[in-house]
Amino acid sequence: MFPGATADRDAASYVVVGAPLDATTTFQPGTRFGPDRIRRFSRSYDDYDERTDSHFSALGVHDAGDVAPWDDTREYLDHLAAELRSVVLDDAVPLAIGGEHTVTYAGVEAVSPETLVVVDAHLDLRAEYAGNPWNHACVTRHALDVVDRAVVVGARAGSPEEWDRAAESDVEVVAPEDARGWIDDLDPGRFADGSTYLSIDIDGVDPGFAPGTGTMEPFGLHPREVRDLVRAVGPHADGFDVVEVNDRDDGQAAALGGKLLREFVHARAAGSTA
C-alpha cells in the first residue's frame, strides 16, 4: 500500500494504481519493480505538508494495488484503461505508478484530456521502434490520437523524424535549459480551462538525481524544477502518473517518484479548495 493511502475505495478522491509493465524497455529493464519501489521508498515521508497545511492521510487517497501485465501489451493497455476509467467514473483522480511509459496511454484514454503535459528526456514521438508500434518510445505519438495538444518538458533526445513531428502545431517542447523560465512564467490560468493529464517520466530528471531508470539521458531537469511544475499544473490535472522507475539504483528514482506523487495530491487538493 502507498504510505498514507488510508481511504477506502468508495470514499476515495484519489486512487493509486500500480502498472508494472516491463515489456518494451529498450536498454535497462526493471520497470516491473517500479510500483513496489515507489511505495517502499515513500514510507519515510512525513504525513504533514507545511506548504499546503494538509495531511496526506486526510486527502482521501486509496491504493488499489497493481494491475498485473501479460504478454499482449495492447490488450493490457485496454484493460488498464478500463481500470483507470472506473476511477474517473467514480469522480476520483487516477494516480498511476509504473512501469514503462507505455502505460501513460492507458491513463490518457481513461481521462480523455485536451492536453498532455509530460516530463520526459525523450520525445517518444516515434511511429514504431524495433518494429513495435506500442514500444515505450511511441507513447506521446499515440497520446496525440486522444489529446489536442502535448507539452513535453525536458526533452533532449529524439530521431530526426521525431523532431519534425515535434515542430507541428499540436506539440510544444520545452528544453531542459528553458524549463526553469517556462515554469516561473507559466500563466496560472493556462491549464485551468479544459482537462489536463500530467505524466512524469523519471528519466526527464537528470540521471545524477534519478539513476534508477531504463534509458538515462544526461543534462536533464533538476528535481525542484519538476516539483514546481507539478505544483503549477497539478491543481488543474485530472490524471497523473510517474513512470520508468526501475530497480537499478539505491532508491533515488523511486523516492523522487513517490515524493512527486505526494506533491501532486497536496497541490491538487489545495487547488480544489482554494
Side-chain angles (χ1 to χ4, degrees):
M1 178 183 291
F2 192 89
T6 57
D8 63 35
R9 178 66 173 80
D10 292 337
S13 299
Y14 304 88
V15 177
V16 176
V17 178
L21 184 64
D22 196 4
T24 75
T25 47
T26 47
F27 185 51
Q28 296 186 123
T31 54
R32 69 192 67 188
F33 304 114
D36 283 345
R37 284 177 70 82
I38 290 172
R39 292 179 177 107
R40 173 186 171 191
F41 285 97
S42 298
R43 289 175 188 162
S44 65
Y45 295 137
D46 200 293
D47 189 46
Y48 178 68
D49 179 63
E50 188 274 337
R51 188 182 74 92
T52 58
D53 189 26
S54 60
H55 289 81
F56 187 81
S57 60
L59 298 179
V61 181
H62 172 77
D63 190 338
D66 291 352
V67 177
W70 56 89
D71 290 343
D72 190 323
T73 299
R74 186 68 182 92
E75 187 178 273
Y76 172 72
L77 293 174
D78 288 342
H79 178 67
L80 178 61
E83 294 288 334
L84 297 172
R85 193 175 297 114
S86 73
V87 175
V88 177
L89 292 173
D90 288 337
D91 294 322
V93 177
L95 310 172
I97 48 178
E100 64 175 70
H101 205 173
T102 317
V103 304
T104 294
Y105 179 76
V108 168
E109 269 213 323
V111 172
S112 192
E114 294 175 10
T115 304
L116 169 66
V117 178
V118 55
V119 169
D120 201 334
H122 310 92
L123 291 171
D124 286 352
L125 289 170
R126 296 174 187 263
E128 56 84 24
Y129 188 87
N132 182 2
W134 289 100
N135 187 279
H136 69 145
C138 311
V139 63
T140 302
R141 178 82 168 238
H142 285 300
L144 283 164
D145 293 334
V146 179
V147 303
D148 296 331
R149 184 170 179 80
V151 182
V152 188
V153 182
R156 48 200 184 272
S159 68
E161 294 77 14
E162 287 180 280
W163 286 109
D164 287 343
R165 180 65 183 87
E168 296 184 26
S169 61
D170 58 348
V171 179
E172 178 182 358
V173 178
V174 181
E177 57 269 26
D178 299 326
R180 179 77 269 168
W182 184 86
I183 295 164
D184 290 344
D185 295 339
L186 194 61
D187 181 348
R190 175 170 179 183
F191 299 106
D193 296 327
S195 176
T196 300
Y197 187 97
L198 177 58
S199 175
I200 307 296
D201 183 333
I202 210 71
D203 71 24
V205 180
D206 190 272
F209 298 104
T213 193
T215 314
M216 291 183 286
E217 189 71 36
F219 312 128
L221 301 174
H222 284 217
R224 286 194 187 94
E225 293 172 328
V226 183
R227 178 202 65 186
D228 292 348
L229 184 151
V230 169
R231 289 177 176 178
V233 178
H236 313 295
D238 296 321
F240 173 84
D241 66 49
V242 57
V243 297
E244 294 286 343
V245 172
N246 67 20
D247 62 336
R248 293 174 179 262
D249 66 4
D250 292 325
Q252 297 97 312
L256 178 57
K259 192 69 171 179
L260 292 171
L261 185 150
R262 292 170 64 95
E263 287 283 344
F264 174 85
V265 173
H266 283 294
R268 195 180 189 283
S272 66
T273 59

